[in-house]
Amino acid sequence: MSVILYGLVGMILLTMAVGLYVAKKIEGDSVNYIVAGRGLVLPLAAATLMAQSLDANATLGNTDLTANFGFWAGAALPIGLAGCLFLTGLFFAKPMNRMDLMTLPDFYRRKYGRVTEVVASLIMVLSFSLLLGGNLVAGGFLFQTFMGTTFVQGVLVISAVVFVYTIAGGLFAVAYTDVIQAVVALTGSLALIAYVAINYGITIPDGMGPTALVQINPLDNSAGSWINLATIFALALGDIVAIDFMERVFAADSPETAQKACFAGSAGTLIIGIPFSIVALSAGSILDSIGVEAGNQAVLYVLLQEAVPPWLAVLVLAGIVAASLSTGDGAILGTSAALARNVLGIRDPDSPGEGVKADGSGFLSEGSDKLLATTRVMAVPITILGAFFAIQVSATGMLLVLAFDVAFAGLLVPLAFGIYKPDIATAPAALAGMLAGSLTRLAFFVLLPTTYAIQNNLLYIENSLVPAGWDGLVTFIAPVVGLGVFLGVAFVTKDDYPTPTVTAGRRRTIVAGGDDDG
């Protein structure tokens, strides 16, 4: 156990050391802090996109769901995330990179105005606080299992580590540490499945494997297909409007780099994520063969404790720790920047890379240094909110998918129409569609006793309005409501409201080393 302990501590210290070291590249500039100077080259951009998708939810949550409900229940997480990166590369990466945005809510401001910007920002803050909570859950369990803390103590410790790492290095720190994480995660994933296959064999229980397509048959919900399909679609479509993913798209040094990075990240997500699902299918037979029961512990943690050598356990756990830290960093950075810039209205009118001019509407005066400082201050409430969700709902996979359910329901339609059909996308339509979709999804959350088959211990109101069997189905209902409201209001208002097109802005590029390249 001491080997695992020392390995985890070493990984945490290495990650923090790299994050603190590259913090010097920020140079007091919020553009450097939030979008890494818009200068990430392809290897860095691809690594950071892949690492952001392969968080603790897609590994730890993946194995838990697969072991309990079958391949598609867990593999839906990496498949959905990979699908998101592929769709983003296909339809959104190039146009979004050309716009020279600093945060995703900037698009909603340019296209739809200040009110829509604030509403979009608040929806993103809520959804990414849930995402952060899911990663803190994984960290809490890891600390409890391997470091001897309680779950709550583990959540608080990992929260503090992520907080320090975030306020120091911004997206530069994320990009550099993500290269380490990607290498560790890839090596650990492939080494784990190879070790299991050689020493135990791959065992797939009847009705649980990849060929059990009843698990994704929309006409037969007996094996939880609605929940599995909802997971895939919520991640594949809802994650397109993820502020952490889009920050990395904005930070790429060119539209072509942004697109290629998305495609590479998509492939890497599948290559690393799917082996965890396969190993989880064999978990029952492996633990039976060595006379161990998982009990209430995460199945992956039990396997790493009991069934593999310490060096492999350290490698896999180091990847999970790095993923949790990096994704937590991205969630805190994105939401903090959205609060400071898009809710408080702090702008940076003198920055060559600024795409949204200051209008004096913020609570605090504008300026680069003030935006950077306020973004860091906003990390405090975001970290506290994420820790609260982690402690209240200690289910990793549920938090991840619920986060993107909310975004899928309210934010995707205004983004897609704003880019590809701007002539009918009006501000009232965007605002009405966002509120209708997201509030519908949140209402279903409150009215259903389970979310993705996990007991709703956060906020459930007992009722007879919504059948309990609709769990999963509501993921598709809410965005349809949002789409219908958007189109209805757009039809009524398209002749009375301006419909601007968001075009490319001025561009400053800073290479990954932090120097202007012209």
Side-chain angles (χ1 to χ4, degrees):
M1 185 62 70
S2 61
V3 174
I4 295 177
L5 178 61
Y6 294 144
L8 293 179
V9 171
M11 188 65 202
I12 292 172
L13 293 177
L14 175 63
T15 302
M16 291 190 67
V18 172
L20 293 172
Y21 176 76
V22 300
K24 64 183 183 180
K25 298 181 182 297
I26 303 303
E27 298 178 344
D29 189 347
S30 55
V31 176
N32 288 344
Y33 185 75
I34 296 171
V35 288
R38 310 185 199 279
L40 293 185
V41 295
L42 180 57
L44 284 174
T48 195
L49 279 167
M50 180 174 67
Q52 189 68 15
S53 67
L54 276 169
D55 63 355
N57 295 295
T59 52
L60 183 62
N62 176 0
T63 53
D64 277 347
L65 290 168
T66 299
N68 288 308
F69 304 109
F71 173 83
W72 290 100
L77 293 168
I79 289 172
L81 291 164
C84 166
L85 286 176
F86 181 79
L87 293 174
T88 300
L90 202 59
F91 297 110
F92 296 97
K94 282 187 173 181
M96 295 298 283
N97 180 271
R98 289 191 186 103
M99 293 175 192
D100 292 347
L101 305 170
M102 191 179 292
T103 64
L104 183 55
D106 281 353
F107 172 85
Y108 293 86
R109 180 187 179 92
R110 285 204 210 173
K111 173 60 182 168
Y112 299 114
R114 173 67 174 156
V115 174
T116 307
E117 172 195 28
V118 172
V119 172
S121 300
L122 294 176
I123 293 173
M124 293 176 194
V125 167
L126 172 62
S127 64
F128 273 81
S129 296
L130 292 171
L131 173 67
L132 174 61
N135 277 273
L136 296 179
V137 165
F141 280 133
L142 190 148
F143 273 62
Q144 180 184 38
T145 304
F146 298 100
M147 294 189 171
T149 69
T150 66
F151 170 72
V152 173
Q153 289 171 341
V155 167
L156 296 179
V157 170
I158 200 74
S159 299
V161 171
V162 174
F163 173 77
V164 171
Y165 173 67
T166 299
I167 64 172
L171 195 60
F172 266 126
V174 175
Y176 280 86
T177 56
D178 280 352
V179 174
I180 300 172
Q181 179 205 333
V183 172
V184 172
L186 177 62
T187 305
S189 175
L190 297 181
L192 178 62
I193 192 170
Y195 183 88
V196 167
I198 293 170
N199 291 275
Y200 299 102
I202 300 298
T203 303
I204 300 178
D206 291 340
M208 296 280 282
T211 60
L213 298 182
V214 67
Q215 296 176 32
I216 52 171
N217 181 358
L219 302 180
D220 183 355
N221 193 38
S222 61
S225 62
W226 289 356
I227 292 175
N228 298 338
L229 290 171
T231 300
I232 294 172
F233 277 87
L235 294 176
L237 298 175
D239 215 359
I240 291 173
V241 284
I243 48 180
D244 56 347
F245 272 14
M246 280 301 176
E247 272 184 345
R248 288 145 174 80
V249 169
F250 304 156
D253 64 4
S254 71
E256 291 72 26
T257 294
Q259 183 180 61
K260 291 175 182 177
C262 287
F263 291 150
S266 175
T269 298
L270 290 176
I271 292 170
I272 296 175
I274 296 301
F276 281 99
S277 303
I278 300 299
V279 168
L281 288 173
S282 304
S285 63
I286 293 173
L287 295 179
D288 286 343
S289 70
I290 60 177
V292 173
E293 293 184 3
N296 294 324
Q297 292 190 71
V299 66
L300 180 59
Y301 288 169
V302 178
L303 285 173
L304 295 177
Q305 282 180 294
E306 305 291 345
V308 303
W311 66 266
L312 180 55
V314 168
L315 192 60
V316 175
L317 289 169
I320 295 174
V321 168
S324 185
L325 290 173
S326 178
T327 303
D329 180 300
I332 293 174
L333 175 62
T335 49
S336 300
L339 281 177
R341 179 176 169 81
N342 304 108
V343 176
L344 296 182
I346 300 173
R347 305 291 168 186
D348 183 11
D350 297 324
S351 169
E354 175 61 81
V356 182
K357 294 186 180 298
D359 62 2
S361 63
F363 294 155
L364 303 172
S365 61
E366 291 76 14
S368 177
D369 289 344
K370 191 173 289 289
L371 175 58
L372 175 58
T374 308
T375 300
R376 283 171 163 160
V377 170
M378 290 297 102
V380 176
I382 291 299
T383 305
I384 292 173
L385 186 59
F388 169 78
F389 283 131
I391 293 169
Q392 290 296 314
V393 187
S394 55
T396 54
M398 187 192 83
L399 286 176
L400 172 66
V401 185
L402 178 61
F404 297 119
D405 256 18
V406 174
F408 177 26
L411 297 176
L412 180 60
V413 168
L415 177 70
F417 275 83
I419 295 174
Y420 285 104
K421 198 66 176 174
D423 55 319
I424 68 167
T426 65
L431 189 59
M434 285 164 48
L435 291 173
S438 294
L439 290 177
T440 298
R441 184 60 188 93
L442 289 174
F444 279 132
F445 172 71
V446 172
L447 296 175
L448 280 169
T450 59
T451 297
Y452 293 93
I454 304 296
Q455 198 68 31
N456 180 2
N457 295 322
L458 187 61
L459 183 60
Y460 168 60
I461 299 175
E462 190 171 350
N463 69 96
S464 58
L465 296 175
V466 181
W470 280 21
D471 187 9
L473 184 62
V474 297
T475 292
F476 301 97
I477 296 175
V480 170
V481 170
L483 174 62
V485 171
F486 177 92
L487 292 175
V489 176
F491 179 78
V492 174
T493 60
K494 63 184 176 65
D495 296 326
D496 300 320
Y497 284 82
T499 55
T501 299
V502 182
T503 56
R506 295 168 295 170
R507 187 171 188 84
R508 176 190 63 176
T509 298
I510 296 179
V511 298
D515 299 317
D516 287 329
D517 68 354

